[in-house]
Amino acid sequence: MAGCVARRALAVGSRWWARSLTGARGPRPLCVAGGAGAFPPAAAATTRRHLSSRNRPEGKVLETVGVFEVPKQNGKYETGQLFLHSVFGYRGVVLFPWQARLYDRDVASAAPEKAENPAGHGSKEVKGKTHTYYQVLIDARDCPHISQRSQTEAVTFLANHDDSRALYAIPGLDYVSHEDILPYTSTDQVPIQHELFERFLLYDQTKAPPFVARETLRAWQEKNHPWLELSDVHRETTENIRVTVIPFYMGMREAQNSHVYWWRYCIRLENLDSDVVQLRERHWRIFSLSGTLETVRGRGVVGREPVLSKEQPAFQYSSHVSLQASSGHMWGTFRFERPDGSHFDVRIPPFSLESNKDEKTPPSGLHW
């Protein structure tokens, strides 16, 4: 994997990333083509002769912002690890890891298919396996360049306010799978621009990585884990379009003498083929423990109809759902269109909506 990544450039909007091949076993600088003032003055521009690319925007100078490390095949990355996202191309820093159960329906199961379940859709028995995800901060300088491919304000919560309808968002937070991380090091004491970076992390040159968690980060994680922590990840591929779903329980609100339970779900669409396709419609079925079954159809997702191509193969977004019951589940399809006008449906893997039974109070959000 390391050798392959070392020889490709990642497009991030109008910004380009590359590795300098300074030797078979030598250091490989992480470089970026940015505008004036986009990066620290100390960033080295002398490597441009090693980083020529016919696809690089004319007039852009590649500047070194760090040195790539070998991705970890085993183990996990620690708090403070700098990384480049292998799909969306943004710079980020690891806050802390989460252990999730990954239910991959692409993995063949020896168990026979079950009969139709009460919710009305067929299901295979899929065994979950432990997989590492990370809560990360995204560099604010990269957010404008990935906004067409990924929602950077994907982490929302219900704050402890009287307004039962209000949802609050924390910009620049994301959940990243272990295999999406391309780790790098930097000599910059503030390599990531985000309002929470220096609140959460402290530079310590004696540590590796040299950014350690402040007490504010530990307290924030402990206080807000009910709505931050992911537990299950669901994945399924149809006609080379892979759909990954991560649901999160956000909390319960009282409204008009009844309880309303809220979840958010993050969805990533990936085109594993070279053919261009465009998402046109969504079709959801939402089953509640109260016995209701709701059908939702609509154009695109979050007001967009994203195109998935070889150059931009993935799109990520988040949305929300509420039930008047403490649990339920969702499933459905996305309808895609090919260049010749033909359509095909891509399955959304069924996933559970479960509430945290032991939650006593609503999440508190960002309070210090």
Side-chain angles (χ1 to χ4, degrees):
M1 176 180 176
C4 175
V5 174
R7 289 165 177 80
R8 72 179 181 180
L10 297 173
V12 190
S14 61
R15 185 164 293 173
W16 287 82
W17 304 86
R19 282 188 179 183
S20 170
L21 303 181
T22 57
R25 296 185 181 275
R28 296 178 173 88
L30 164 63
C31 305
V32 63
F39 296 97
T46 58
T47 57
R48 75 179 71 175
R49 64 182 180 275
H50 301 297
L51 296 163
S52 61
S53 170
R54 64 183 179 181
N55 295 321
R56 177 161 51 91
E58 188 175 353
K60 297 292 185 179
V61 177
L62 290 171
E63 303 177 29
T64 302
V65 297
V67 177
F68 271 104
E69 299 175 315
V70 177
K72 290 185 177 182
Q73 301 300 319
N74 300 302
K76 65 175 184 277
Y77 296 103
E78 302 298 329
T79 295
Q81 176 66 60
L82 301 174
F83 71 92
L84 181 71
H85 196 293
S86 66
V87 176
F88 297 119
Y90 63 71
R91 288 162 292 177
V93 61
V94 170
L95 295 181
F96 40 78
W98 294 116
Q99 291 301 311
R101 292 188 301 275
L102 173 61
Y103 295 91
D104 193 342
R105 301 175 73 83
D106 299 333
V107 177
S109 174
E113 289 196 20
K114 293 182 177 180
E116 290 278 315
N117 63 26
H121 66 286
S123 176
K124 291 182 179 179
E125 183 176 352
V126 182
K127 294 183 178 180
K129 65 177 182 179
T130 301
H131 195 71
T132 303
Y133 276 73
Y134 300 93
Q135 185 86 68
V136 306
L137 288 182
I138 302 173
D139 195 308
R141 294 168 292 187
D142 296 335
C143 289
H145 301 281
I146 62 173
S147 61
Q148 295 302 312
R149 294 190 293 152
S150 173
Q151 282 191 345
T152 56
E153 296 187 6
V155 177
T156 52
F157 62 98
L158 292 169
N160 191 9
H161 294 290
D162 294 333
D163 186 355
S164 61
R165 298 167 297 176
L167 293 174
Y168 298 84
I170 303 177
L173 275 179
D174 199 3
Y175 293 84
V176 178
S177 178
H178 182 83
E179 63 268 20
D180 287 338
I181 286 184
L182 300 177
Y184 73 92
T185 59
S186 172
T187 57
D188 190 350
Q189 294 189 19
V190 188
I192 301 296
Q193 290 189 10
H194 190 288
E195 61 179 348
L196 298 178
F197 183 85
E198 292 184 90
R199 289 186 178 184
F200 282 169
L201 299 168
L202 176 68
Y203 181 77
D204 186 345
Q205 62 181 356
T206 66
K207 303 293 185 180
F211 304 99
V212 296
R214 293 181 183 269
E215 184 56 37
T216 50
L217 176 59
R218 299 189 187 96
W220 184 73
Q221 178 186 6
E222 176 63 27
K223 194 173 186 179
N224 297 294
H225 76 88
W227 58 273
L228 285 172
E229 186 172 6
L230 74 168
S231 56
D232 297 339
V233 179
H234 304 265
R235 180 186 295 166
E236 185 169 5
T237 303
T238 308
E239 296 200 35
N240 290 316
I241 305 297
R242 182 163 62 193
V243 180
T244 303
V245 184
I246 308 177
F248 301 86
Y249 176 59
M250 297 173 62
M252 180 271 293
R253 285 287 180 81
E254 293 187 10
Q256 299 178 347
N257 298 322
S258 64
H259 291 168
V260 179
Y261 299 82
W262 284 84
W263 291 264
R264 74 178 182 276
Y265 53 92
C266 181
I267 291 186
R268 180 160 141 185
L269 304 169
E270 294 176 87
N271 186 357
L272 306 180
D273 202 350
S274 58
D275 295 337
V276 178
V277 296
Q278 184 170 13
L279 190 153
R280 291 301 191 185
E281 298 177 9
R282 68 188 185 279
H283 178 201
W284 282 107
R285 293 176 73 80
I286 307 167
F287 178 77
S288 170
L289 187 64
S290 63
T292 61
L293 179 62
E294 182 181 2
T295 298
V296 178
R297 288 184 180 269
R299 295 285 296 181
V301 290
V302 292
R304 301 184 188 179
E305 297 180 20
V307 175
L308 304 183
S309 62
K310 186 176 181 180
E311 291 73 27
Q312 296 193 356
F315 180 81
Q316 179 176 301
Y317 76 97
S318 64
S319 191
H320 307 87
V321 63
S322 62
L323 300 177
Q324 291 186 328
S326 60
S327 64
H329 50 268
M330 296 175 61
W331 71 100
T333 56
F334 292 120
R335 174 154 293 186
F336 280 84
E337 183 178 355
R338 301 183 181 94
D340 63 5
S342 62
H343 295 83
F344 63 99
D345 289 337
V346 171
R347 290 184 297 275
I348 304 171
F351 57 96
S352 297
L353 302 172
E354 298 293 342
S355 61
N356 296 344
K357 306 295 185 184
D358 58 348
E359 187 186 23
K360 300 294 191 299
T361 58
S364 59
L366 288 173
H367 299 290
W368 308 102

